[in-house]
Amino acid sequence: MPARPASRPNARPRHASARLSALALALLCAHAAPALAADEFGTDWDDPRTADPPVARPDTRSCSVPILDTAFADFDWHLGQIAPPAACPGPWSKVVLEMDGQVKGVQYDRLGHLEIAGVTVFSTSTPEPSREGIGWHVEKDITGYAALLKTPQQVRMALGNVVNDTYTGVIYVQARVVFYNADRRHPAADSADAVAPLANARRDGGDLVGDYTLPANATRWAGEVYATGSGGGCEEFWYFTAPPEANYSCPAQHGPYREVQVLIDGRVAGIAMPYPHIYTGGWSNPFLWYVLPAPRAFNIEPIRYDLTPFIGAVNDGRAHEVRFRVANLPDGASGWTLQPNLQAWTDARRGATGGRLLSYELTPLAARSTYSALGDGTFQVDTRGGHRLRASGYVDTSKGREYTTVERIVGNTGLHSWGAEENPDGIKAQWNDTQTVRRLGRGLPTVSTQAQRFGFDGAIRVAPSGSAQRIVTTMKIFDHADTLQTPGRGQPALAHVERNTFEGEAGWNYGVPRPERHATGHSVQRHRSYGTQGCYDREISQRNGFIDSDRYRCGEP
């Protein structure tokens, strides 16, 4: 197996096509990155990175526990172990997963996920490497899974990877978990008391279905699912699909509207918009993503549902059917990966809590995709869809009766346009997902709202370039969220605004030897957040594989 490529600091620029003396290299590294800008991509480029903020960490005693150090060159599970460290036995204020990766040679982007005690806690895609090799770093707050970490557990990671004479890139991964003790200034996190995967999980068509027994003394209940259109095929790019009458290369009988639902005993209990992930080989143009990946590519976030209103319907000590579904899929379609878990908060003073679902309203799903052939020889599909779910219930706890109302409104609009032979081919789309949770019990009532808006405006075109054909991809991405929470139930007031944007263009000649590709590309990512948790604003730009700007407006570590 090839030796692991050396990991390099993110900020160090490199230019493989120049042969520099040690003195010349030192002088160049002392100057600004633009001095190393290349006219086009070479065989080497800077390590990939993002402008995303690091996980905020408390100033308390911490313990780092290595859980995995392995090389992926197959489709097997790679195993590790984790146990709470003696110096940080819990409770914890924060728990952080850190992962470093290295790869060199030729390799596609790959998808992977990491499980602890059978629960997926991290999902990711990998960057495509340079010949000389790249290294990257990802970190994630996994405090919400703390219940899994109180006892020794098995760790396993899957990252399917083909390695042969053509695809030479072995993907090396090192992962560790950092535990931060709680103290008076940094109290223990309000994470679930029980976290579990579905029992007897199985596929039923495109659905993932299993059994779940809610703790009899549950007071709050939540669900998560990591949902990705992946594995190749049209559902990896589901937003490109079109009704059959369009004669587009990716047909879908119901159009491109997709929605991720959770059903409890056959009743829809949660609705959500899936995020349109773009991996590092996406949109026919890896040169656009080599150094600055699309938002969420390295850290795929789960969809979250508040299921508390349904506690009274299922806390009878029996197993109930829980089903995760991608709604509006074509009949018989596959290609979606669903990795769910369920989380429960319990009442330590009661062996059982009673409850009842008081009201439930699910408006009909209105999803429509209209195909048109325009007079100028172009074609388009106009998609509009969405609906609303509202549920209210109560739970009788040792502190009295607590009422919860959850309302979620989701929607998607998109305009897919293309020309003859699907050239050019572009989409402008937006997804909206707003969840409001109201709780009423002893003390002040609380209201929390999270409004997510994400989408893109992108296009691919192919044009002659000498004797070759040149692929050019342009892309604008936005990933926004507004969070508001009133004080109460031991929680402070919270107001948080997050704006994450990406913009870029890249082109390359295909069907020619690598030296004749003449690939060029530039991109910029800016991640801003502000509110009661402070200010963060970082912007990174790259040109032809080398960082030419990396600046903070606030929140620099």
Side-chain angles (χ1 to χ4, degrees):
M1 181 174 289
R4 175 187 297 166
S7 178
R8 297 175 303 252
N10 265 352
R12 190 175 108 197
R14 298 168 294 117
H15 197 322
S17 61
R19 298 188 177 184
L20 303 173
S21 68
L23 177 60
L25 181 61
L27 289 173
L28 280 173
C29 288
H31 287 76
L36 291 179
D39 293 333
E40 61 182 47
F41 274 89
T43 60
D44 198 15
W45 45 83
D46 276 339
D47 289 337
R49 68 208 67 189
T50 75
D52 301 340
V55 176
R57 309 183 189 217
D59 185 19
T60 65
R61 182 172 186 173
S62 64
C63 304
S64 181
V65 178
I67 59 172
L68 207 63
D69 187 350
T70 190
F72 289 95
D74 50 40
F75 286 80
D76 297 334
W77 285 105
H78 290 230
L79 305 181
Q81 298 290 328
I82 188 170
C88 301
W92 304 296
S93 177
K94 187 70 68 78
V95 184
V96 181
L97 172 69
E98 299 177 342
M99 192 200 83
D100 294 302
Q102 306 86 33
V103 61
K104 69 176 181 179
V106 178
Q107 194 53 265
Y108 284 122
D109 51 319
R110 303 296 186 182
L111 297 177
H113 71 281
L114 186 144
E115 297 180 0
I116 297 176
V119 173
T120 298
V121 302
F122 175 65
S123 181
T124 188
S125 66
T126 63
E128 296 194 7
S130 66
R131 291 295 199 274
E132 281 72 13
I134 57 172
W136 72 102
H137 174 82
V138 189
E139 54 188 53
K140 179 184 178 181
D141 183 349
I142 62 167
T143 314
Y145 306 107
L148 301 172
L149 305 173
K150 295 178 180 179
T151 57
Q153 301 287 357
Q154 183 186 71
V155 175
R156 65 178 191 171
M157 185 171 181
L159 202 162
N161 189 28
V162 173
V163 176
N164 53 32
D165 291 341
T166 301
Y167 301 108
T168 59
V170 177
I171 301 173
Y172 296 90
V173 168
Q174 308 86 46
R176 59 201 164 272
V177 173
V178 186
F179 297 83
Y180 292 85
N181 282 340
D183 62 17
R184 289 185 177 181
R185 292 181 55 244
H186 306 91
D190 181 26
S191 54
D193 299 299
V195 180
L198 292 178
N200 305 314
R202 55 204 180 272
R203 282 284 183 174
D204 182 8
D207 298 353
L208 182 70
V209 60
D211 305 320
Y212 178 74
T213 303
L214 182 71
N217 60 342
T219 60
R220 288 166 54 196
W221 188 25
E224 279 190 350
V225 61
Y226 294 83
T228 55
S230 55
C234 289
E235 285 302 310
E236 181 169 339
F237 308 100
W238 43 272
Y239 39 80
F240 265 115
T241 60
E245 61 267 25
N247 292 317
Y248 186 76
S249 57
C250 273
Q253 67 198 92
H254 309 299
Y257 182 91
R258 300 289 181 269
E259 178 180 302
V260 184
Q261 302 177 343
V262 56
L263 293 80
I264 301 170
D265 292 333
R267 174 163 47 188
V268 176
I271 58 177
M273 288 287 91
Y275 186 83
H277 297 98
I278 301 176
Y279 309 117
T280 57
W283 283 61
S284 303
N285 214 318
F287 296 96
L288 187 55
W289 321 107
Y290 276 148
V291 178
L292 295 179
R296 304 199 200 189
F298 289 171
N299 186 1
I300 296 171
E301 298 178 15
I303 294 170
R304 297 179 174 89
Y305 307 90
D306 193 316
L307 304 174
T308 304
F310 297 91
I311 286 178
V314 296
N315 68 337
D316 52 10
R318 295 183 297 176
H320 290 261
E321 182 189 271
V322 178
R323 179 181 296 263
F324 288 86
R325 168 178 294 163
V326 180
N328 223 46
L329 273 178
D331 294 342
S334 60
W336 280 81
T337 299
L338 301 171
Q339 297 158 333
N341 70 82
L342 293 154
Q343 306 178 6
W345 288 253
T346 58
D347 190 333
R349 297 182 179 181
R350 279 202 170 187
T353 54
R356 183 182 176 187
L357 178 65
L358 294 173
S359 65
Y360 174 87
E361 180 188 9
L362 177 66
T363 62
L365 171 59
R368 175 179 55 84
S369 292
T370 304
Y371 165 69
S372 301
L374 305 182
D376 60 359
T378 63
F379 312 90
Q380 68 178 31
V381 171
D382 186 355
T383 297
R384 299 174 185 274
H387 62 148
R388 178 174 64 91
L389 171 65
R390 188 178 190 274
S392 296
Y394 71 80
V395 179
D396 288 324
T397 76
S398 61
K399 297 180 180 179
R401 180 164 289 183
E402 298 181 353
Y403 295 86
T404 301
T405 298
V406 176
E407 183 175 44
R408 195 150 186 173
I409 302 171
V410 300
N412 165 224
T413 59
L415 186 65
H416 178 190
S417 304
W418 67 93
E421 299 182 353
E422 300 180 8
N423 181 32
D425 195 359
I427 301 178
K428 184 176 184 179
Q430 176 170 316
W431 290 262
N432 297 283
D433 189 328
T434 299
Q435 177 175 268
T436 300
V437 180
R438 298 174 175 87
R439 304 188 194 277
L440 175 63
R442 295 182 62 183
L444 293 173
T446 63
V447 180
S448 62
T449 298
Q450 184 181 51
Q452 300 180 77
R453 300 176 307 283
F454 43 80
F456 53 73
D457 184 355
I460 305 169
R461 66 181 186 273
V462 181
S465 177
S467 59
Q469 295 290 311
R470 189 165 183 83
I471 296 177
V472 177
T473 304
T474 58
M475 178 62 70
K476 294 181 180 179
I477 303 172
F478 64 93
D479 184 7
H480 300 337
D482 298 334
T483 304
L484 179 65
Q485 176 180 288
T486 61
R489 298 174 61 93
Q491 297 294 326
L494 172 66
H496 183 76
V497 174
E498 191 163 5
R499 300 288 182 266
N500 191 3
T501 58
F502 174 99
E503 183 173 354
E505 178 176 307
W508 61 287
N509 297 340
Y510 78 96
V512 298
R514 284 182 178 271
E516 299 175 26
R517 287 183 173 178
H518 300 301
T520 59
H522 59 87
S523 58
V524 58
Q525 184 205 359
R526 184 180 181 186
H527 197 133
R528 295 172 287 159
S529 62
Y530 48 90
T532 54
Q533 295 179 322
C535 174
Y536 177 87
D537 190 341
R538 184 184 183 187
E539 181 178 277
I540 306 177
S541 64
Q542 68 82 29
R543 183 171 296 275
N544 299 332
F546 294 96
I547 299 298
D548 57 12
S549 176
D550 185 350
R551 64 169 178 157
Y552 290 85
R553 293 176 175 88
C554 62
E556 184 172 1

